[in-house]
Amino acid sequence: MTDDLDLLAVNTIRTLSMDAVQAAQSGHPGTPMALAPLAYTLYTRHLAHNPADPGWPDRDRFVLSAGHASMLLYSVLHLTGYDLTLEDLRNFRQLHSRTPGHPESFVGTPGVETTTGPLGQGLGNAVGMAIAERLLADRFNRDGHNIVDHRTWAIVSDGDMMEGVASEASSLAGHLGLERLIVCYDNNGITIDGPTELSLTGEDVAGRYEAYGWRTLAIEDPNDIAEIDTVLKEAATPDGRPTFVRVRTVIGFGSPNKAGTAAAHGAPLGTDEVAATKQVLGWEPTDAFAVPPQALEHADQRPRGAQLQLEWQRSFEGYRAEFGTLAAEFERLMDGRLPGDWDRDLPTFETGTKQATRKTSGAVINALAPKVPELVGGSADLASSNNTTIRDGGDISRGDYAGRNINYGVREHAMGAIMNGMVLHRGVRPFGGTFMIFTDYLRPSLRLACLSGLPVIYVMTHDSIGLGEDGPTHQPIEHLAALRAIPNLHVLRPADARETVGAWRHAVGRTDGPTLLALTRQDVPVLDRTDAGEVASGAYIVVDADDDEVPDVVLAATGSEVSVAVDAATVLAERDVTARVVSMPSWELFDQQDEDYQDSVLPADVPVLSVEAATTFGWSRWADDHIGIDHFGASAPGGVLFETFGFTAETVAEAALELLED
């Protein structure tokens, strides 16, 4: 049953969604119309939230994975008392509005927890939020003081269920028994091209989730507030499993001519159909963006939210009185502040020693772990190769969330989305590893981290043809160029152990976006003049002419090829050619330096030869000629491949001499 005021509020959500899409002449009205009763019931009876303070630490998190239905979220936020005005709704999908076409966490819309749109990503984020909640609960809850005690709710669509990232993330969530994760599946049977039967038949989605280890429930009447309330109440009662709630809705509910069809999905209903639908809903057809005062008053969640937050705050004050140090640590984590002196006493390395930068990275991780307790790591089934394990950190597992190592399995795509969710939750700083070639498998999640400014850390090893025998399927010759093309991603390819320390220092210290470390499988020598502190400049001189003499040529290199360039400079010196060697661990950081510094490293009147075991694409910005590999690699030992493809001191020296002759 649904009473009159509930129905009035639900229909307000529907009409606001129709009107905003119609005004923008762009958007997705049908899903908000179908899901209005579910979203209304969730926000007014089950979600622990406070519209007056959307960021209080122990609120429930809500993720609209079906981000195309953004007007559902915006309408509910407006109706329940968030600082989202009717003017904001009128500006739906307009430039610089707080109501963009898909929810964006970085534009400052109150109540929007994450950036969704690419289907499946939001579900992965929700899994990450649920993991973060369990990690923090295990660490901080004491003696009945449950200061971390909230749920993560998500609404997903048929399209989300088709994306591979959703399957990956859901499988891991079931394995970990994330009982405070509740996913509501809008099973309306419609996608943009038409009925889901065009591409999906014979699959029992709820059965699939049972196989993943989820509890599955169903809402049979999506318009019955009482039934929705009962099922959500059961879903919120933990039983050791995440919960999957199937809701079979009718897209475009109320529309006389478009309900249940793809015509209600990805386009405005049209002026006449909006008017006809409003008549069906008992609304004045000519009133756009009408919000009855009784609906606003009835749906307002500020009093309830204030009471929920006050109760939590009182509990936290009692916690502080008994566990002052833990309380201060909790506040530090939720504020995103690093501990004092977190980067002191990191490993040091002697010149001439040899070590793979992936191995150095592992040593740095374990030096940081005791000082940065929020650091949590994992790998896509490659921890022993990526060196991402926090020693004595323990593994996170079902019912035991005290560990600091996450076994993602062979699920790179989910790992990326989950790490984004962990950062968005706050209180956790995740890093995740795989082979660099498999950045292709997590690129959508990585891109969203860049877009949203999330300080995720990617530990990408086996960074070039130097990995050797696994062959061209595993040798990432084009990936540096592809990654450098993504705005707001800092790609750091350290030359040796010292620069690896500097790369980690930058990655942990960064707060406005993600950092990717490209690390070697093979050993590389610790060079004479590399410096962890110089990594932050992006590029610096490691070999230069004596007495400030202007060099004849500059050899600019990254990663393992810096040592090749250093040896080439020695060969050139024997031929009376003065070469400067520049280590360039990060194009992005070098680009941030002022012009004077850039000119001091790469003088405008001195020819530059780049040396990198990757495609030469993009190097023309910095160099006049290139030693690179603009074709796929081969299966052979790494040293053989370096020699075969020209990454030797002699080949680099010859190329430098040819450049000087041009």
Side-chain angles (χ1 to χ4, degrees):
M1 296 293 292
T2 300
D3 70 25
D4 291 344
L5 282 175
D6 286 335
L7 182 59
L8 184 68
V10 166
N11 284 339
T12 301
I13 295 168
R14 287 171 168 148
T15 55
L16 284 174
S17 299
M18 286 190 294
D19 286 339
V21 172
Q22 192 63 38
Q25 285 295 291
S26 174
H28 300 73
T31 300
M33 295 162 68
L35 286 174
L38 174 67
Y40 167 77
T41 307
L42 173 61
Y43 266 78
T44 59
R45 303 189 185 185
H46 297 277
L47 195 73
H49 65 120
N50 183 6
D53 186 2
W56 69 285
D58 202 39
R59 70 192 181 280
D60 284 359
R61 271 59 170 180
F62 172 74
V63 176
L64 182 65
S65 191
H68 56 277
S70 57
M71 270 311 304
L72 173 70
L73 179 56
Y74 301 148
S75 298
V76 171
L77 292 175
H78 171 74
L79 201 61
T80 55
Y82 284 78
D83 180 24
L84 200 65
T85 66
L86 270 180
E87 189 62 25
D88 289 321
L89 302 191
R90 289 190 179 97
N91 285 327
F92 177 58
R93 290 191 166 219
Q94 304 309 302
L95 185 64
H96 304 314
S97 79
R98 297 200 298 169
T99 49
H102 293 84
E104 297 171 357
S105 59
F106 52 89
V107 301
T109 310
V112 172
E113 299 279 6
T114 183
T115 303
T116 56
L119 291 174
Q121 288 289 332
L123 178 51
N125 295 165
V127 173
M129 292 175 184
I131 291 173
E133 189 274 342
R134 289 291 82 195
L135 295 179
L136 293 169
D138 191 283
R139 182 176 174 193
F140 288 103
N141 290 350
R142 292 289 187 279
D143 301 337
H145 292 281
N146 291 338
I147 63 166
V148 181
D149 187 22
H150 55 267
R151 297 174 179 83
T152 301
W153 302 80
I155 289 179
V156 305
S157 64
D158 286 306
D160 286 288
M161 293 296 94
M162 296 183 196
E163 289 286 2
V165 63
S167 297
E168 290 184 23
S170 298
S171 175
L172 185 61
H175 168 74
L176 292 176
L178 299 176
E179 64 180 8
R180 291 176 176 270
L181 173 63
I182 302 133
V183 171
C184 298
Y185 166 39
D186 173 30
N187 182 204
N188 63 40
I190 295 293
T191 59
I192 289 176
D193 284 345
T196 52
E197 284 81 2
L198 291 171
S199 58
L200 184 71
T201 54
E203 179 176 320
D204 179 359
V205 176
R208 174 154 59 93
Y209 272 76
E210 286 184 14
Y212 289 150
W214 291 55
R215 169 176 56 179
T216 60
L217 305 173
I219 295 170
E220 299 300 338
D221 184 348
N223 294 301
D224 186 338
I225 298 293
E227 183 190 354
I228 295 170
D229 184 40
T230 298
V231 174
L232 293 186
K233 189 177 298 181
E234 183 179 357
T237 304
D239 82 334
R241 298 173 292 174
T243 298
F244 183 83
V245 181
R246 181 185 59 77
V247 191
R248 198 179 296 281
T249 65
V250 176
I251 194 169
F253 177 85
S255 171
N257 302 300
K258 296 187 177 182
T261 73
H265 182 32
L269 295 178
T271 303
D272 291 343
E273 190 68 12
V274 167
T277 304
K278 286 182 177 180
Q279 283 187 317
V280 169
L281 298 177
W283 226 254
E284 176 58 47
T286 59
D287 283 353
F289 296 97
V291 180
Q294 334 63 308
L296 269 179
E297 182 179 358
H298 183 64
D300 188 359
Q301 293 302 294
R302 286 172 293 184
R304 183 176 76 93
Q307 183 61 34
L308 288 170
Q309 186 171 353
L310 178 62
E311 291 170 3
W312 178 84
Q313 192 63 48
R314 286 172 176 164
S315 176
F316 185 72
E317 292 307 321
Y319 180 87
R320 189 199 305 278
E322 192 169 351
F323 307 103
T325 302
L326 276 175
E329 177 72 353
F330 178 77
E331 290 178 319
R332 178 186 72 77
L333 293 184
M334 299 312 290
D335 288 343
R337 293 179 281 113
L338 285 165
D341 297 332
W342 65 271
D343 59 346
R344 291 187 62 183
D345 302 320
L346 295 180
T348 58
F349 302 90
E350 292 185 10
T351 298
T353 58
K354 286 190 172 184
Q355 189 172 94
T357 54
R358 63 170 174 158
K359 185 174 180 181
T360 306
S361 172
V364 178
I365 287 170
N366 281 283
L368 287 167
K371 295 180 286 188
V372 188
E374 59 266 41
L375 205 60
V376 173
S379 172
D381 197 49
L382 290 168
S384 59
S385 283
N386 301 145
N387 287 270
T388 49
T389 301
I390 297 176
R391 291 189 297 271
D392 301 321
D395 292 336
I396 295 166
S397 61
R398 176 187 292 267
D400 183 0
Y401 307 102
R404 298 178 66 182
N405 296 298
I406 302 175
N407 295 294
Y408 287 103
V410 189
R411 301 185 182 100
E412 289 90 352
H413 202 352
M415 179 176 71
I418 287 168
M419 289 195 296
N420 288 351
M422 293 169 77
V423 171
L424 287 159
H425 180 281
R426 302 187 74 83
V428 178
R429 282 297 305 275
F431 63 88
T434 186
F435 290 170
M436 188 153 161
I437 193 79
F438 300 131
T439 54
D440 286 341
Y441 284 0
L442 58 75
R443 185 183 173 97
S445 309
L446 187 155
R447 182 180 184 274
L448 284 172
C450 296
L451 178 66
S452 302
L454 307 180
V456 177
I457 301 171
Y458 304 94
V459 182
M460 302 291 111
T461 70
H462 297 58
D463 69 341
S464 75
I465 58 170
L467 68 87
E469 295 86 348
D470 274 339
T473 62
H474 281 53
Q475 293 164 3
I477 57 99
E478 77 275 25
H479 291 68
L480 283 169
L483 292 164
R484 287 166 177 157
I486 306 175
N488 201 33
L489 178 64
H490 290 179
V491 180
L492 277 73
R493 189 169 185 243
D496 63 4
R498 289 198 196 106
E499 286 195 359
T500 304
V501 173
W504 262 105
R505 182 180 287 140
H506 174 77
V508 174
R510 190 178 183 206
T511 60
D512 61 352
T515 302
L516 184 144
L517 310 183
L519 306 171
T520 68
R521 178 199 182 206
Q522 73 274 24
D523 288 345
V524 292
V526 178
L527 301 172
D528 184 34
R529 291 179 58 186
T530 50
D531 187 338
E534 291 283 3
V535 170
S537 66
Y540 66 103
I541 300 165
V542 295
V543 172
D544 208 8
D546 296 331
D547 303 321
D548 296 324
E549 178 185 353
V550 176
D552 298 313
V553 66
V554 173
L555 307 178
T558 76
S560 53
E561 292 78 76
V562 175
S563 64
V564 176
V566 169
D567 291 342
T570 301
V571 173
L572 288 168
E574 294 170 354
R575 303 184 189 183
D576 296 324
V577 173
T578 302
R580 169 182 291 178
V581 178
V582 170
S583 177
M584 202 166 182
S586 174
W587 289 12
E588 298 79 25
L589 295 181
F590 188 56
D591 190 47
Q592 291 177 6
Q593 308 308 312
D594 60 39
E595 188 175 348
D596 288 344
Y597 179 78
Q598 291 180 1
D599 288 344
S600 73
V601 175
L602 301 177
D605 55 351
V606 178
V608 178
L609 177 70
S610 69
V611 186
E612 186 173 69
T615 59
T616 60
F617 187 84
W619 267 109
S620 57
R621 178 181 182 186
W622 308 109
D624 302 291
D625 202 359
H626 321 288
I627 296 288
I629 177 168
D630 290 314
H631 54 79
F632 295 113
S635 182
V640 172
L641 295 178
F642 263 51
E643 184 172 354
T644 300
F645 295 130
F647 297 97
T648 67
E650 293 74 17
T651 304
V652 172
E654 288 297 329
L657 292 172
E658 291 178 10
L659 178 60
L660 289 171
E661 291 174 0
D662 290 344

